[in-house]
Amino acid sequence: MLPLIMSALIAPDIDFDYKSMKGFFLNVKGVPVVRGSFFQVYEKGWTKGYYSSRWRPQQIQRLQDGSIQVRFESLDRRVAGEQRYEPIPTGIRVHYEFKWKGRSPVKLENTIGLLWAPVFEQGSAMAGMENNTELERRPKPTDTIAKRMILGRSSAFKLSAPLVDLLVRGTKSGKVLFDARRYPQEWADSTEVFWVGHQSLDLQPDVPLKYSVEWVIQPKEPSPEPHEPAVFDAVPERTVSAIGPVPMSTQILPKPKSVVSIGTGYCPADRRFKISMPLGYRSYSEELDRQLDLRWRRRVDSSLPEIPIETATGRLDLPNEGYELKIAQNKITIAARDGDGLVQALRTLAQLARPRNGNLVFPEVSVRDWPSVGWRGVHVFVGPQSRPFHERLLERVLVPLKFNKVVLQCERTDWDSTPGIATPTTTPKAELAKLFDIVRSYNIEPIPLIQSFGHMQWLFANGQNLDLAINRQFPYAIDPRKQASRALLTKIWTEACQLLKPNVVHFGCDEVSSRSWSDMFLTTRLWQQHIPFLATLARDLGVEPMFWGDMALSASEAPDATHGDTKDQADMRKQAIPAGSYVGDWHYRPTTDPTKFKSLQMWKAIGMRPIATSWYRPENIYGHTQAAIQAGAGTLQSTWAGYINSDQSIYNELEQYAGYVLAAEYAWSGRKELPNQLAYKPDEVFRRMYFRAPSAVTMESGWHLLPRPKQRSLRIGEVEFGLFEPIGLHWLLNGSGQRQPRTVVLNAKVEATDLAFAMASRAWVPEGESVGEIIIKLDTGEEIRQPLIYGRHLRSTEDPRSTLFADRAGGISGLRIPFGKRRRIETIAVQSDNDSVGLQLYGVTAL
């Protein structure tokens, strides 16, 4: 929860704050009502952006009267202004001032507030005499703003809800209110908000735009207080199928080019394997067992004959990494183009295992397969303690998904060449070297990325090396005109190549002028001087160079990331990149049309080796990868989830990691189905691969604990629940006026090694927000406590995303709590610590 400002001028149950790059926040009775705001200055038609409050920090001053003063200015100083959030007896008054110093008018979009939708879903909205009572109806992700519009073109809106009445009025008309739930924009991701503000205001040169907005806030009468803890006797009902095999999809990811049934029998998968591998690939013979054990709790019967796996290379009718895999009842054969194809065939074989009659088996099939893209990578960051994360990511995700490159952004390392810049994000050199060796051990090529022009805040950390910055006031880019700059980069890269022994190095060089200067002619002169120096450095070190490509693209050449300014300037910068260089052609526009990514063909035509670099949006990955296949380019899935990639970054940015699944799918298979036409959810696939424990192969018995009569059975993952009418915990947004408990206690005298809980919430709250706790009391007097975090353990029934640590079915999450050994349970308590969320308990199973 953000630290919010409380003022004597407004009601005591109202508080507000403004956070740089996040915007305005408002709470009523501790419940979030406004969850941010932002504004953008742009060229008409969105052809160019000049300032976004989400991408450049604001200066914030908290005044003695409780007001908050916000000042902002663009790097080139053409956009400037201020906002003042002032407490008044009826709520909050906001004064806006925007200034533009350009030559011609531009546009302003001012999002004055993102209203948290769960507060208002059971209410209504009104502008004048116009009513709208359909706030609970959810739009489709594909709906346009016109279809999402609730109220438009008014000077005032009134929203009434069980918690609060909210009047938004101002001196400027033309405000609109639209439903941004599931709206495909980054600011609307992972939240549920209504957008209120001005969509398109005119900003005239040297004419300040001033206006004000009032938030008139009327909290409703206090909601019914929660009653005392509700206590139930949980009646145990035995079930022989409490645990069962997780229903696994029959599809292989990535999808092979061909899978044909060649029989009706099965080959045992719970035996030892005898694998003949060519010299140099024998270490991979253990990988099959490891991949099977990651997926299944299989019992290998060593007394039975081994299953032979015969392999051969040299199939010239297959592309590189291509293979043909045939499974018969007691024999498996693999014929591949090369050793890499043998390895990929074993990774496919592991995915084919299925439970059947209590045994793990392979079906009799023939698989013929090869990649559609040869260069298939992911881009990740490192960190001081990130090696366990990367080991798990490699083994569980990148290896089975058949990636063969990893770009490791590793400038934040304790290089001997850069003393004094260490921070908590700095990686020890020894750790980095071990990580590179681990990546290679999986037949994946590691590529170091060290930013060597812009994005060099890492070099200026702790106030170091400021004499090398082009702009000491904004230490972001190194000055390539200085011999000391070139000498330091030479030392860093020499040290990195000696330590890491790469074949390819990535110099970065994206957005080099975005935070230090705005002269495009200076940018070109610096680029023409620096890029040839880096290319020569790569040649001297015996490695191949790679650069980001945005600084050499003009607006006519790509859909976005065109920071080359004019066509002439972009062309001069292209000429400075030596032919044969790898170019990370990054574009993040979410479009499925591959023709939009025409820069890949352009890079190829001038002798470069383009790598289509996408971000996490499914449409972006699809369209960009299809363009890469057509251009004969490589693919790279970028990850921008902080400077340290870790389990915590997955908690915060699951969608980014889910992009790995689609990136692997389309780059390998080349399939044409759109992301929304696939028979799986990428976030669920990633979650299952990375977090889930091995699944049972056979059925096991247990107990349904029933505080209310069982209505039906539901399997969530491998656990079967006896569902009862859900027990709802206290929810401040409940419009029914019913009293509900904050704590539910189940008297449950039962022995178990695990307990599993079927749960959900009424409201869709932000990722990582604490929503409650489970407390299990044992007969020994011990307590086992399990915190409940939104997104990790449960979600709203309306939230379609995966729960990280729990399987889902029908909007309900099945959270399993293992004890490590058999214990006797006395009571189970489920309690809510968040009145905004509305916890619901649907079922409990003892295993």
Side-chain angles (χ1 to χ4, degrees):
M1 182 71 68
L2 290 170
L4 300 178
I5 302 298
M6 299 185 67
S7 170
L9 295 179
I10 57 179
D13 48 7
I14 299 172
D15 42 76
F16 70 99
D17 195 14
Y18 192 99
K19 188 173 183 179
S20 178
M21 300 174 70
K22 300 289 187 181
F24 171 52
F25 290 78
L26 170 68
N27 281 1
V28 176
K29 297 183 181 180
V31 175
V33 172
V34 180
R35 286 189 177 270
S37 64
F38 62 93
F39 57 92
Q40 303 179 86
V41 177
Y42 60 96
E43 198 69 46
K44 185 178 180 180
W46 292 96
T47 57
K48 184 175 182 180
Y50 296 103
Y51 183 89
S52 169
S53 63
R54 300 182 63 248
W55 297 106
R56 182 161 175 80
Q58 297 83 53
Q59 295 180 345
I60 299 172
Q61 183 180 6
R62 305 179 194 285
L63 308 179
Q64 289 185 349
D65 67 353
S67 297
I68 300 176
Q69 189 81 26
V70 180
R71 294 185 173 87
F72 56 91
E73 186 176 59
S74 63
L75 184 63
D76 59 10
R77 300 187 176 180
R78 288 196 290 175
V79 178
E82 60 183 49
Q83 302 172 20
R84 189 173 77 255
Y85 291 79
E86 172 185 73
I88 58 177
T90 55
I92 298 158
R93 181 181 294 122
V94 188
H95 303 274
Y96 295 100
E97 181 176 3
F98 299 94
K99 302 176 184 176
W100 167 243
K101 296 181 180 179
R103 296 179 180 178
S104 57
V106 291
K107 291 291 186 178
L108 166 70
E109 178 187 75
N110 187 16
T111 308
I112 65 177
L114 297 172
L115 307 181
W116 193 41
V119 172
F120 301 100
E121 284 175 344
Q122 301 180 57
S124 62
M126 177 186 298
M129 297 304 293
E130 179 185 353
N131 263 305
N132 186 305
T133 57
E134 298 183 1
L135 297 183
E136 194 169 4
R137 184 185 64 83
R138 294 173 181 273
K140 299 176 182 178
T142 55
D143 283 351
T144 63
I145 288 181
K147 288 185 177 181
R148 294 168 174 272
M149 194 66 64
I150 300 171
L151 299 171
R153 306 301 173 190
S154 176
S155 60
F157 301 137
K158 183 176 181 180
L159 293 95
S160 296
L163 177 75
V164 63
D165 283 347
L166 188 66
L167 174 64
V168 185
R169 63 189 181 192
T171 57
K172 179 169 286 296
S173 61
K175 286 188 289 295
V176 301
L177 175 70
F178 74 85
D179 192 335
R181 289 175 292 183
R182 303 187 188 180
Y183 187 49
Q185 291 290 331
E186 187 182 354
W187 55 265
D189 283 345
S190 307
T191 188
E192 295 215 301
V193 291
F194 297 141
W195 191 99
V196 60
H198 293 94
Q199 291 181 301
S200 181
L201 296 175
D202 291 321
L203 269 184
Q204 301 294 335
D206 301 317
V207 180
L209 174 62
K210 298 181 180 181
Y211 67 95
S212 62
V213 170
E214 285 187 6
W215 297 81
V216 179
I217 306 159
Q218 294 181 310
K220 295 292 183 68
E221 291 297 318
S223 300
E225 285 297 315
H227 60 60
E228 295 300 316
V231 180
F232 297 87
D233 289 327
V235 178
E237 178 182 276
R238 189 164 183 79
T239 172
V240 296
S241 55
I243 295 178
V246 174
M248 301 289 277
S249 171
T250 56
Q251 59 193 335
I252 305 164
L253 298 180
K255 181 182 180 181
K257 297 295 189 292
S258 170
V259 180
V260 179
S261 175
I262 58 175
T264 58
Y266 298 89
C267 178
D270 46 11
R271 304 261 194 97
R272 294 296 179 194
F273 301 102
K274 184 178 181 180
I275 307 177
S276 61
M277 292 287 284
L279 187 65
Y281 286 88
R282 290 180 181 171
S283 61
Y284 296 100
S285 63
E286 300 175 359
E287 187 174 302
L288 176 59
D289 280 323
R290 181 62 182 151
Q291 288 294 323
L292 287 169
D293 290 340
L294 285 173
R295 290 171 171 79
W296 303 100
R297 294 199 295 275
R298 64 182 189 134
R299 297 183 178 90
V300 176
D301 191 341
S302 300
S303 66
L304 295 175
E306 294 177 326
I307 300 298
I309 301 180
E310 298 180 0
T311 65
T313 57
R315 281 286 298 271
L316 299 181
D317 60 325
L318 293 167
N320 292 339
E321 295 185 84
Y323 64 87
E324 188 172 66
L325 166 67
K326 291 185 178 180
I327 304 173
Q329 289 194 23
N330 289 291
K331 181 181 177 181
I332 298 169
T333 58
I334 301 172
R337 170 67 179 258
D338 46 34
D340 292 343
L342 295 180
V343 173
Q344 303 297 16
L346 290 174
R347 293 167 181 172
T348 297
L349 179 61
Q351 291 192 50
L352 284 165
R354 298 287 180 268
R356 183 176 182 271
N357 299 329
N359 297 306
L360 198 64
V361 299
F362 300 117
E364 287 190 294
V365 296
S366 175
V367 180
R368 187 177 170 89
D369 198 15
W370 60 87
S372 298
V373 172
W375 202 108
R376 308 176 306 281
V378 296
H379 156 258
V380 293
F381 283 82
V382 295
Q385 298 175 329
S386 68
R387 184 154 54 96
F389 161 81
H390 283 293
E391 289 178 329
R392 188 179 182 98
L393 184 71
L394 280 160
E395 184 175 56
R396 291 171 169 262
V397 181
L398 303 187
V399 163
L401 289 179
K402 300 183 172 69
F403 286 103
N404 60 4
K405 312 286 181 181
V406 174
V407 175
L408 295 133
Q409 188 153 348
C410 57
E411 61 258 7
R412 288 174 168 80
T413 298
D414 61 347
W415 308 114
D416 297 338
S417 312
T418 55
I421 67 169
T423 69
T425 65
T426 300
T427 302
K429 282 175 58 177
E431 279 292 297
L432 186 62
K434 289 178 183 176
L435 179 55
F436 269 65
D437 288 342
I438 291 167
V439 174
R440 288 191 185 95
S441 74
Y442 286 105
N443 205 38
I444 295 175
E445 180 185 1
I447 298 170
L449 192 165
I450 299 176
Q451 286 282 6
S452 302
F453 195 178
H455 284 293
M456 291 194 69
Q457 301 96 320
W458 64 274
L459 185 65
F460 307 122
N462 305 323
Q464 299 294 308
N465 305 307
L466 293 178
D467 57 316
L468 304 183
I470 289 181
N471 186 339
R472 291 177 63 113
Q473 186 178 1
F474 301 101
Y476 166 80
I478 201 168
D479 190 340
R481 296 167 295 188
K482 295 184 177 181
Q483 174 59 31
S485 297
R486 298 191 293 274
L488 182 55
L489 285 174
T490 300
K491 288 173 64 178
I492 293 169
W493 275 109
T494 300
E495 183 180 356
C497 288
Q498 290 174 348
L499 177 73
L500 306 174
K501 302 175 178 58
N503 297 318
V504 178
V505 299
H506 197 322
F507 291 115
C509 301
D510 59 316
E511 303 176 319
V512 298
S513 59
S514 64
R515 302 181 194 177
S516 291
W517 72 92
S518 59
D519 184 335
M520 67 179 176
F521 303 104
L522 173 62
T523 300
T524 299
R525 292 196 300 272
L526 295 175
W527 184 270
Q528 290 173 319
Q529 180 175 352
H530 195 48
I531 299 305
F533 157 73
L534 293 175
T536 300
L537 176 59
R539 183 196 63 198
D540 293 345
L541 292 171
V543 295
E544 297 182 275
M546 185 172 182
F547 306 92
W548 295 126
D550 59 297
M551 296 303 299
L553 290 176
S554 64
S556 64
E557 295 175 306
D560 60 355
T562 53
H563 301 135
D565 297 302
T566 67
K567 182 69 165 60
D568 289 343
Q569 297 299 317
D571 287 346
M572 285 189 283
R573 296 174 198 173
K574 289 186 190 75
Q575 293 167 11
I577 305 173
S581 296
Y582 289 100
V583 176
D585 192 31
W586 64 271
H587 301 291
Y588 301 153
R589 181 175 176 180
T591 173
T592 58
D593 182 359
T595 65
K596 300 296 185 183
F597 303 100
K598 57 186 178 180
S599 51
L600 290 168
Q601 297 279 7
M602 180 275 298
W603 287 117
K604 197 89 180 265
I606 63 174
M608 305 300 170
R609 289 184 280 184
I611 307 298
T613 305
S614 307
W615 202 9
Y616 67 97
R617 293 200 176 278
E619 298 83 3
N620 172 239
I621 297 170
Y622 176 89
H624 211 180
T625 305
Q626 297 296 333
I629 294 171
Q630 295 170 16
T635 58
L636 180 67
Q637 185 63 26
S638 62
T639 315
W640 303 108
Y643 294 129
I644 297 176
N645 290 156
S646 62
D647 284 1
Q648 183 63 50
S649 67
I650 296 178
Y651 304 159
N652 299 334
E653 303 284 352
L654 176 59
E655 285 123 331
Q656 291 205 40
Y657 291 95
Y660 293 4
V661 178
L662 288 179
E665 175 69 88
Y666 289 123
W668 180 279
S669 72
R671 62 195 299 179
K672 301 299 184 182
E673 297 98 322
L674 295 173
N676 61 6
Q677 295 172 332
L678 298 175
Y680 61 83
K681 295 174 57 181
D683 61 340
E684 175 59 24
V685 171
F686 180 89
R687 182 204 73 82
R688 183 175 68 241
M689 296 177 78
Y690 188 86
F691 285 112
R692 183 192 274 169
S695 172
V697 176
T698 60
M699 292 287 186
E700 301 175 23
S701 64
W703 302 88
H704 294 155
L705 304 182
L706 302 173
R708 292 175 172 174
K710 185 169 76 172
Q711 296 180 328
R712 63 188 176 97
S713 294
L714 175 68
R715 185 168 297 280
I716 305 178
E718 68 174 10
V719 179
E720 179 193 80
F721 290 92
L723 299 188
F724 42 79
E725 181 185 351
I727 301 174
L729 278 70
H730 184 62
W731 190 37
L732 202 57
L733 306 182
N734 182 11
S736 67
Q738 296 177 348
R739 295 181 66 198
Q740 295 173 302
R742 276 206 178 95
T743 302
V744 171
V745 178
L746 306 183
N747 292 320
K749 312 286 186 182
V750 67
E751 289 188 354
T753 56
D754 301 40
L755 275 180
F757 296 82
M759 305 185 71
S761 65
R762 299 282 297 276
W764 181 334
V765 301
E767 293 293 288
E769 194 161 296
S770 175
V771 299
E773 186 178 29
I774 295 172
I775 304 170
I776 303 166
K777 290 188 178 181
L778 306 176
D779 62 345
T780 60
E782 300 172 79
E783 288 186 349
I784 297 173
R785 291 178 173 264
Q786 172 63 58
L788 297 175
I789 306 298
Y790 190 85
R792 301 184 199 176
H793 306 114
L794 55 85
R795 291 191 183 277
S796 161
T797 53
E798 297 293 340
D799 188 340
R801 297 169 297 167
S802 295
T803 309
L804 285 175
F805 301 148
D807 292 298
R808 294 192 80 193
I812 303 172
S813 298
L815 174 63
R816 188 167 172 177
I817 303 175
F819 304 150
K821 61 180 180 180
R822 199 157 191 82
R823 311 297 296 269
R824 182 163 183 81
I825 298 160
E826 292 290 325
T827 62
I828 302 165
V830 180
Q831 61 186 34
S832 170
D833 63 12
N834 187 326
D835 290 347
S836 304
V837 71
L839 274 181
Q840 291 188 300
L841 178 65
Y842 288 81
V844 182
T845 299
L847 306 171

